[in-house]
Amino acid sequence: EAQVTQNPRYLITVTGKKLTVTCSQNMNHEYMSWYRQDPGLGLRQIYYSMNVEVTDKGDVPEGYKVSRKEKRNFPLILESPSPNQTSLYFCASSPWLGETYEQYFGPGTRLTVT
Amino acid sequence: AQTVTQSQPEMSVQEAETVTLSCTYDTSENNYYLFWYKQPPSRQMILVIRQEAYKQQNATENRFSVNFQKAAKSFSLKISDSQLGDTAMYFCAFTDNYGQNFVFGPGTRLSVLP
């Protein structure tokens, strides 16, 4: 089944404790992206990647890191989480070549930082 | 920077009736792509419909259609014959001709009433 998976689905952590949210897609998509969703703000793009070893900042990259060492994986790293990073996070992928730009989203990760 | 505005935080409609959700955007680009995504209570993001700015014909997908007014920078979604399963958050989204940066609106919460 073609899908984007994220782990964990739910995470409660404390301020300053490094964490990683994994994202994997099995559709051989070139493009992958991370978003955070907050009430009243919609989804805001954190980072995106056009292909392996190619990443770029979105609109809200502060406090986050990403890497793209393999085409299928695009982990989101919070080196020192803070309470303002409490949010719902989505990973998405897209067959960028072909210019449909339709994104396939993962199920979301609910992160709470206390 | 591009922005996307959805001026209706919440809407409701009776089952089988028609409802229109509004979206306006701001860009200096001539070619770009617009999307409507649906997010039901399951939180899964589902693509509803896509419009390429260079196409004058409005996109249609079954009961969903758009009214794309390029000069007015408006992209409204019309849902005909509303069904209970249409109850969800609806997000309008924009990407430029390169399909890298995505900007989402704040969302409209639609309730379909029996």
Side-chain angles (χ1 to χ4, degrees):
Chain A
E1 179 189 356
Q3 60 182 347
V4 178
T5 57
Q6 294 179 227
N7 282 292
R9 296 287 309 279
Y10 300 88
L11 179 60
I12 301 174
T13 189
V14 296
T15 298
K17 186 176 181 181
K18 181 179 179 180
L19 66 91
T20 299
V21 183
T22 64
C23 174
S24 182
Q25 50 94 6
N26 62 1
M27 296 169 280
N28 201 36
H29 288 167
E30 293 83 12
Y31 179 95
M32 297 185 75
S33 183
W34 276 103
Y35 298 89
R36 60 177 289 172
Q37 180 180 355
D38 302 289
L41 298 177
L43 280 75
R44 293 179 292 168
Q45 193 170 34
I46 302 171
Y47 271 95
Y48 62 90
S49 170
M50 304 305 296
N51 215 324
V52 176
E53 302 292 1
V54 180
T55 63
D56 209 344
K57 297 178 180 178
D59 292 328
V60 289
E62 295 78 17
Y64 304 95
K65 286 177 58 176
V66 293
S67 68
R68 187 94 180 270
K69 293 181 170 46
E70 303 169 281
K71 195 172 186 179
R72 62 184 292 124
N73 296 324
F74 190 45
L76 179 69
I77 302 159
L78 284 71
E79 296 258 349
S80 182
S82 62
N84 64 12
Q85 292 178 299
T86 292
S87 188
L88 177 60
Y89 291 86
F90 285 99
C91 179
S93 72
S94 173
W96 180 73
L97 298 176
E99 296 186 0
T100 65
Y101 304 147
E102 174 181 348
Q103 294 190 87
Y104 296 78
F105 283 82
T109 295
R110 172 71 70 184
L111 172 66
T112 302
V113 183
T114 62
Chain B
Q2 289 88 359
T3 58
V4 176
T5 302
Q6 294 178 250
S7 59
Q8 306 148 317
E10 293 189 25
M11 295 188 73
S12 62
V13 63
Q14 292 294 136
E15 195 174 7
E17 297 294 307
T18 296
V19 63
T20 299
L21 310 184
S22 300
C23 172
T24 58
Y25 57 94
D26 187 25
T27 183
S28 58
E29 305 284 336
N30 185 52
N31 195 34
Y32 45 87
Y33 298 78
L34 296 162
F35 307 83
W36 278 99
Y37 279 89
K38 169 185 177 181
Q39 186 181 47
S42 66
R43 299 187 332 204
Q44 184 66 45
M45 293 287 290
I46 303 164
L47 178 66
V48 175
I49 202 163
R50 177 182 65 243
Q51 175 81 42
E52 293 89 343
Y54 64 86
K55 290 185 177 179
Q56 293 187 338
Q57 186 173 5
N58 289 325
T60 299
E61 288 287 343
N62 301 314
R63 297 182 295 108
F64 299 88
S65 61
V66 297
N67 183 4
F68 173 50
Q69 301 288 329
K70 190 172 183 179
K73 297 180 181 176
S74 172
F75 183 61
S76 60
L77 175 70
K78 185 171 82 170
I79 306 175
S80 303
D81 186 26
S82 297
Q83 301 175 359
L84 296 178
D86 295 334
T87 292
M89 281 287 286
Y90 287 82
F91 294 100
C92 180
F94 167 102
T95 191
D96 62 20
N97 195 40
Y98 303 101
Q100 299 178 26
N101 285 105
F102 281 80
V103 180
F104 283 75
T108 295
R109 184 177 301 280
L110 177 67
S111 299
V112 180
L113 308 174

